[in-house]
Amino acid sequence: MATILKHAVPKSEVAASLDQVRETVTGVIADIRERGDEAVRAYSEKFDKWSPDSFRLSDAEVEKIVASVPQQVIDDIRFVQDQVRTFARHQLDSLREFEVETLPGVRLGQKHIPVQAAGAYIPGGRYPLTASAHMTIVTAKVAGVPRVVACTPPIHGEIPAATVAAMHLAGADEIWLLGGVQAVAAMAVGTDTMRPVNLIAGPGNAYVAEAKRQLFGEIGIDLFAGPTEILVLADEQADPFVCAVDLLSQAEHGPDSPAVLITTSREVAEQTIAEVERLLPGMPTRDFAGPAWRDHGQVHVVDTLDELYALADEFAFEHVEVLTAEPRLALERMTQYGALFLGEGTCVSFGDKVIGTNHVLPTRGASRYTGGLWVGKYLKTVTYQEVTDTDSQTLLGRLCGRAARVELFEGHARSGDVRAAKAAGDELPWNTA
C-alpha cells in the first residue's frame, strides 16, 4: 500500500480550467478560416503586441539576427543539434524498406515517404524554448521533409534572436515571428501569405495544445500535449537534495506542471519535501514552480520496488527519472512512460536541452499508447503490391471472389473474378453483355 505524504488538487479542478481554453481556441480557428491574414494579424496584435509588415523573416533579416547572437551560443546550438541529428539518423537507419515475393509473381513492398510540408512550433512567451527548434526542425529534415515552416512568437515585442538562430541552423525553410493559436491555425489551414502544412509538431501552452487537438485530422500532429510532467523514482540510497532539485526543474515550466516523487523510503520522502520548501523561495522561477508544486506536486511512499514500478506505470508520465541502486531495472519493469532517465548522472534537463533524444513527449497518460516525437513521425510508411504470375493471379482472383461474397461485397468479388477470367479463362456469369 502506498502512503501519500502530499496530494495534488482534484482532477475536476484541472478539467474545469480547460473549458474556457477550448471555447477561445474554437473561436480563433473559425475566425482565421474566414478572414485569413487579417485575423492572424488581429490576434497577433491582441496577444503579442506584434504587427510587422511581414510576419515571415526574409533571408537578409535572418542573417542579420543570427549575426547578433554571441558565438558561444551559436557553438552550443550547433553542438546540441549535432546530438539530435545523430540520434534521429540512427532512428532513420532502424527503419527498413523491403520488397518480398510471397507467392510466385506476387511482390509486396513497404517504403517510407516523408510528409511534404511540416510546421514546427517553437514556444516563446516567458521562456524561449530554443531547444524545441532542434527537436522539431532537425528531426524533420533528417526524415527528408522538403518544406519546414517554423513559427515562434516575439517576446515582449522583441525578436528572440537565439531562437531564430536555432531555427535557421536547424534547416527551417521559412521562419515566421508568429505565436499562439494564430500560428498553429495559419500553418494548418493556410492564408494568402502562408501555404498550409501537412503536420505540426512542437510543444506549447494550453491554447497551442488545444489548437493542435482541434485541427487534428485536417492535419497530422506529433501528439496530444499537456503540461510538462516529471516522476522521480527513488529508493533509500537516493539523495533528497537531488530529488528536490530535479522535481523543481520541471515544475518551473508552468503553474500546472505535475512533479511527483515515488519512493521506498519515508526518510527520503520527508527530506525531499523539506528540500523543496527550502529551495523554492530562492528560485527565480518560483512564481511558476511554486504553484506547480503546491497544486500538482505529489509524494508517495511504497513498501517495495515492485510497488514503486507498478505505481509509476499507473502515472504513465512524460519524464521518469530513476534514482535507485539499479536504475536499469526500470527498462525491464516499466512499460508506460515518455522517456526514462537512468541514474543520478542523468537528469531530465539533459533530455530537455542537450543530450540528443527528443523532448517532445506524451503527457496526460498518453504514454499508454504512444511514444514521443521521432523521425518516423515525419514519414508515411506506405505499401505497394504487384501480381505478374498468371497462376497467382488466378488463385488470388478466385479467393477474392469467394471471400468478398461472404461479406456481401459483390463489387469486390467481381474485381477478383475478372482477374481469374483474364488469367485462366474463368467464366463471368454475372457479365451478361
Side-chain angles (χ1 to χ4, degrees), residues 42-200:
Y43 290 115
S44 182
E45 289 177 338
K46 178 179 179 180
F47 297 126
D48 291 326
K49 306 297 187 291
W50 183 255
S51 182
D53 292 338
S54 172
F55 291 103
R56 181 178 175 179
L57 295 177
S58 67
D59 291 345
E61 288 173 319
V62 170
E63 290 178 9
K64 182 178 179 180
I65 292 167
V66 173
S68 72
V69 179
Q71 188 60 46
Q72 184 64 64
V73 174
I74 296 294
D75 292 343
D76 290 345
I77 287 172
R78 290 187 187 278
F79 177 86
V80 176
Q81 289 185 351
D82 282 345
Q83 311 315 301
V84 175
R85 189 174 293 108
T86 296
F87 191 73
R89 283 174 175 163
H90 281 293
Q91 289 182 323
L92 185 62
D93 289 343
S94 74
L95 297 170
R96 188 169 67 91
E97 294 187 347
F98 63 84
E99 182 177 285
V100 294
E101 190 172 22
T102 57
L103 292 168
V106 178
R107 283 173 287 276
L108 309 181
Q110 169 179 294
K111 65 180 298 185
H112 308 295
I113 303 173
V115 299
Q116 294 302 289
Y121 187 81
I122 293 83
R126 175 165 183 169
Y127 300 133
L129 293 186
T130 304
S132 290
H134 320 328
M135 307 301 174
T136 54
I137 302 167
V138 169
T139 308
K141 283 301 181 181
V142 170
V145 178
R147 173 175 171 250
V148 176
V149 178
C151 289
T152 196
I155 300 177
H156 305 303
E158 300 292 330
I159 295 173
T163 302
V164 171
M167 296 157 89
H168 172 68
L169 295 172
D173 299 286
E174 301 173 22
I175 297 176
W176 296 69
L177 286 180
L178 188 63
V181 178
Q182 59 270 24
V184 174
M187 288 191 284
V189 307
T191 70
D192 288 340
T193 57
M194 183 189 291
R195 288 181 292 136
V197 301
N198 309 125
L199 180 147
I200 295 176

Side-chain angles (χ1 to χ4, degrees), residues 1-6 266 299-302:
M1 287 289 292
T3 300
I4 304 177
L5 300 189
K6 187 182 185 309
R266 189 179 186 96
V299 177
H300 298 251
V301 181
V302 296

Side-chain angles (χ1 to χ4, degrees), residues 7 14 16 42 75 78 137 159 170 215 239 410:
H7 291 266
V14 178
D75 292 343
R78 290 187 187 278
I137 302 167
I159 295 173
L215 290 161
D239 183 344
E410 181 61 24

